[in-house]
Amino acid sequence: MLIIGEKINGMFKNVREAIQTKNKSILQDIAKKQLEASAGVLDVNVGPASSEPLKDMQWMIETIREVTNVPLAIDTTKLDVMDKGLELSGEGAFLNSINGEEEKMDKFLPLAKKYNTKIIALTINKTGIPITPEGRVEIAANIVAKVMEHGIDTSGLYIDPVILPVNVAMEHSAAVLEALKQCPLLCDPPPKTILGLSNVSQGTNYRSLIDRTFLVMALASGLDAAIVNPLDKDLVDAMITAELLLGKNIYCDSFLDAYRRK
Ligand code: THG
């Protein structure tokens, strides 16, 4: 499974302070630690409190690029920030994210084409996030159609059926698992699936336990990629073990270490 590290996000106090004081080493440390812990992509989000998101995104990417060339997922709802972010990221970038709103797709998809990026698309439309799996898959189908209309290959599309905190939206978690199973049936080549996993445990007392349990369930439902906290070793161990049991890795007594040395 593709792990996208979630820790470079202005939502976290240490990142917010690093941005404000232009402290490069804090950001570079978080980048390196996530990569050592098996992340293959780094999410980059200036956070909700940024008053200069364009400048902050630029500084964050330039700072990260001093220590690694790994692909970045540019996590913003602002068109100008996305454009600059993808331009500075270079190869392998993810546009995170679009949703099922037609006008927004028409604005953002040309950027995906211009910079040849992967696309993460949330199953949200003007009326919100449907509670049922069918509602989510219907939005995913509209997204697939739009992506094709823009002449973009659907194998680079990652559908995110949006997991919400289980303490306030309990009925959503089972719907997400069912949507994960159905989305690959929408077209050929099939779209991939992704989740922002840590949403599920926000505000709960057992974050790591809830995160890793849901990750294993989602993997068994076909999940291809996840935005997670890779510094949670129990979470990564659970992921590696689930992939082993799904027949995606070969068993050896040191399978956890073997995976990490790949
Ligand atoms: N889908 C996609 N992208 C996403 C999300 C998604 N990007 C953002 C988010 N959701 C995924 N990233 C995070 C990052 C942090 C947390 C949750 C998801 C988190 N933060 C702590 C909290 O809110 O409790 C902050 C704690 C602190 O302040 O230190 O849990 O769903 N495509």
Side-chain angles (χ1 to χ4, degrees), residues 6 11-12 75 96 120 122 160 196 198-199 202 207 227:
E6 73 181 14
M11 182 199 280
F12 294 105
D75 191 351
N96 187 18
I120 300 174
L122 309 169
D160 182 338
S198 307
N199 303 354
Q202 272 177 320
R207 293 208 65 168
I227 304 168

Side-chain angles (χ1 to χ4, degrees), residues 123-140:
T123 58
I124 300 177
N125 64 16
K126 282 218 168 67
T127 53
I129 305 170
I131 286 186
T132 64
E134 294 77 19
R136 282 170 155 90
V137 175
E138 189 181 333
I139 296 174

Side-chain angles (χ1 to χ4, degrees), residues 199-218:
N199 303 354
V200 73
S201 64
Q202 272 177 320
T204 68
N205 280 341
Y206 294 94
R207 293 208 65 168
S208 174
L209 176 63
I210 291 173
D211 286 348
R212 68 178 177 271
T213 303
F214 194 64
L215 181 60
V216 168
M217 296 167 83

Side-chain angles (χ1 to χ4, degrees), residues 131-137 161 163 171-185 193 195 214 217-218 220-223:
I131 286 186
T132 64
E134 294 77 19
R136 282 170 155 90
V137 175
I163 185 65
E171 60 286 345
H172 281 262
S173 34
V176 165
L177 295 174
E178 184 55 34
L180 287 175
K181 292 181 196 160
Q182 294 180 19
C183 284
L185 308 173
T193 53
L195 287 173
F214 194 64
M217 296 167 83
S221 301
L223 186 71

